Amino acid sequence: MELCDMPAWKLKEMISKGEIGPEDVLDSVFNRIDAVEGTLNSYITLLRDSSYAQAKEVKRRLKEGESLPLGGIPIAIKDIICTKGIETTCASKILKGFRPPYDATVVARVKRAGGIIVGKTNLDEFAMGSSTENSAFGPTRNPWNPETVPGGSSGGSAAAVAAGEAILALGSDTGGSVRQPAAFCGIVGLKPTYGLVSRYGLIAYASSLDQIGPMTKDVKDCALLLQVIAGKDDKDSTSIKLNLPNYLEACEVKDLKGIKIGLPRECVSESIDRSVARVIEEAKRVFEKLGAKVVEISLPHIEYALPTYYIIAPAEASSNLARYDGVQYGLRLKAGSLREMYLETRTNGFGEEVKRRIMIGTYVLSAGYYDAFYLKALKVRRLVKEDFDEAFKEVDYILTPTSPTPAFKIGEKIDDPILMYLSDVFTVPVNLAGICAISINGGFSDDGLPIGIQIIGRAFDEYGVLGVASAFEAETECHSRRPYRR
Amino acid sequence: MKVSRGDVEHIMKLAYLDLKGEEKEKMIHHFSRILEYFAKLQELDTANVEPLSHVIEESTPLRDDEVGEGLSQEDVLGMAPDKEGGYIKVPRIV
């Protein structure tokens, strides 16, 4: 197996034994990038030279005896997370040339931990989309089948990790943007509980829903990366102070005796793909074999979560994206007056889906419509959250498909926003409730496309969720398949 | 729920967007379709439900008022597309 197809924890072991050096891992990753990037387009910016400089620095730190949790591991960062001095575009024309003067907290923590940032990955513009087709830098393709989408919005990060163009990646998840692409690309993606990971330096889409999460080859790597990025940050007043568990220990869980897993009857309806239903049925049997009790539950308001999300998220976005007016950063189009400059810059700088969400958000917040749409959605948001509160009185975890279908064809849903939104039907409720969930590979479709299963946990029970996912992974083989592995 | 051309034009003004031609027509079409989808929420009786705007419902945390490190003026102005004499420059407004 080539180094670029190995998980970080394994590479770390090899580096610490002196079998390989960080530059060997980089060579392998950049060889793979040279071979497949022309097809996949996972990256917006590649940082080849600075990667090797970072590797040298990490080697020095390791030699000095520093303990580095990510020592020498190549990591890709979604291009909506600020990196000091490195262009951060949000896949939008409007931020062309924007070089942040500071690192996001997660980036600073990755660097401190010895991670090597190999590049900035492609995404749906401002994280608005489910396919990575809404990018000013062209779509990313799914490494399992380049005719299909990698999911979105963190599609570049997902494709890069699946294809061995990176060992680890960071994504952001507002309504499923880490989990759904992880599912489509056959990797692991975690949406942490709101408040676990600092959002400082994450360019805002919908602030009450956004969280940064790890995207990795297996569950152990997910725990490793979560440990690095989680924890209170004074620069994000919504980040929560708590004693972090050792997430890697969660991956030692061998059986699930005494654990109760709920399977919502609303999530196994006829509207999901046959292959997805089969994978859920098989997953249920695996969990039972591991000693868990799987019971049917109900989340009666889950069908209202999607329209609720598509009111709340655009409302917050319309406010957050008001700052892109050509004054302080990024694109500015010349115009005679200030107002014309705003109009020209915003109309030409934003892509179609972003403009749609700004318009919808402005509408639902506007006089005369606020109560009927925005306020109504906030009330339903509480009902969705209360569904989970009730369910977690009965069960410890909830199992659902991550998305109702495997990866779909490029272009298939791009002209029908509602159809595209439906891809997030099982992921958005988790963001509305602010709890945590992981997507892991549960199997494959008849066409050989990966299918994700989602395990949802209580707020701040990442430890438990990682344990359940880890036990599943130990019992199954599907997660170890890679698209380009020789 | 159908949205009128006038509604969409009003929202464009509020949002500082100036859509024209085909792009505007497409927006009107999709706008109506999305609002129809939202109508589903009206099935629910929420008269006695408190709105939930944020999952962390505690009050805003405050920190001590101490001077810390921030970005320099140079850093901040460095991002702006046009600047002069320590200010960001925009088209003439008066």
Side-chain angles (χ1 to χ4, degrees), chain A residues 246-262:
Chain A
N246 182 341
Y247 292 116
L248 278 168
E249 277 173 13
C251 302
E252 287 157 24
V253 172
K254 293 283 178 284
D255 68 65
L256 300 175
K257 287 194 183 77
I259 299 277
K260 223 167 153 188
I261 297 174

Side-chain angles (χ1 to χ4, degrees), chain A residues 219-241:
Chain A
V219 176
K220 201 168 168 182
D221 271 9
C222 184
L224 180 73
L225 185 50
L226 182 65
Q227 197 81 51
V228 170
I229 61 172
K232 172 77 183 157
D233 173 21
D234 288 337
K235 290 173 176 159
D236 174 3
S237 64
T238 60
S239 78
I240 306 279
K241 192 179 169 83

Side-chain angles (χ1 to χ4, degrees), chain B residues 23-72:
Chain B
E23 191 182 16
K24 186 167 158 187
E25 296 311 312
K26 211 168 157 186
M27 181 68 80
I28 294 169
H29 169 73
H30 282 145
F31 216 100
S32 295
R33 202 167 131 63
I34 291 167
L35 292 186
E36 274 164 32
Y37 183 60
F38 292 166
K40 186 171 175 56
L41 297 185
Q42 304 309 325
E43 292 170 9
L44 291 172
D45 177 9
T46 52
N48 297 313
V49 182
E50 280 295 306
L52 176 68
S53 57
H54 209 283
V55 287
I56 302 169
E57 292 188 274
E58 285 107 62
S59 62
T60 310
L62 299 173
R63 61 167 171 77
D64 293 333
D65 186 15
E66 284 168 356
V67 178
E69 247 184 85
L71 295 175
S72 68

Side-chain angles (χ1 to χ4, degrees), chain A residues 98 101 194 208 237-238 240 301 303-304 306-308 310-311 326-330 332 335-339 341-343 346-347 352 355-356 358-360 362-363 369 372-373 375-376 378-383 385 415-418 421 432-434, chain B residues 1 3 7-8 10-20 23 26-27 30-31 33-35 37-47 49-58 60-61 71 75-76 79-82 88-93:
Chain A
F98 169 59
Y194 189 86
S208 81
S237 64
T238 60
I240 306 279
H301 298 96
E303 60 174 317
Y304 300 97
L306 201 62
T308 300
Y310 278 99
I311 290 171
V327 175
Q328 295 174 77
Y329 23 59
R332 173 188 294 188
S337 72
L338 189 63
R339 187 179 163 82
M341 184 191 90
Y342 294 153
L343 282 171
R346 289 168 62 79
T347 305
E352 189 181 318
K355 282 187 264 195
R356 192 151 50 224
I358 291 173
M359 293 281 290
I360 293 286
T362 306
Y363 181 83
Y369 300 104
F373 291 101
L375 193 62
K376 183 82 184 180
L378 293 183
K379 290 179 170 189
V380 182
R381 182 177 186 180
R382 184 174 298 279
L383 296 176
K385 182 175 181 288
D415 290 321
D416 188 343
I418 300 285
Y421 298 169
L432 290 173
Chain B
M1 187 174 160
V3 68
D7 282 343
V8 171
H10 174 62
I11 297 299
M12 273 167 45
K13 229 177 250 169
L14 293 177
Y16 279 72
L17 292 169
D18 185 22
L19 310 181
K20 291 190 180 95
E23 191 182 16
K26 211 168 157 186
M27 181 68 80
H30 282 145
F31 216 100
R33 202 167 131 63
I34 291 167
L35 292 186
Y37 183 60
F38 292 166
K40 186 171 175 56
L41 297 185
Q42 304 309 325
E43 292 170 9
L44 291 172
D45 177 9
T46 52
V49 182
E50 280 295 306
L52 176 68
S53 57
H54 209 283
V55 287
I56 302 169
E57 292 188 274
E58 285 107 62
T60 310
L71 295 175
D75 281 339
V76 175
M79 296 184 281
D82 198 4
I88 292 171
K89 203 173 158 187
V90 294
R92 191 187 172 96
I93 48 172

Side-chain angles (χ1 to χ4, degrees), chain A residues 23-93:
Chain A
E23 65 281 355
D24 297 320
V25 186
L26 278 181
D27 286 346
S28 177
V29 164
F30 279 108
N31 280 341
R32 181 61 61 79
I33 288 172
D34 290 338
V36 303
E37 181 61 9
T39 307
L40 300 183
N41 194 33
S42 305
Y43 286 95
I44 292 175
T45 304
L46 278 169
L47 302 166
R48 198 180 297 250
D49 294 346
S50 72
S51 290
Y52 282 94
Q54 288 176 68
K56 238 178 171 172
E57 174 67 9
V58 165
K59 263 173 95 171
R60 187 191 60 75
R61 289 169 69 190
L62 286 171
K63 218 170 167 184
E64 283 174 4
E66 251 191 271
S67 163
L68 301 175
L70 301 179
I73 303 299
I75 177 167
I77 309 284
K78 187 180 184 181
D79 206 22
I80 193 167
I81 299 174
C82 286
T83 41
K84 188 174 179 174
I86 296 164
E87 195 173 1
T88 300
T89 66
C90 293
S92 181
K93 276 195 290 186

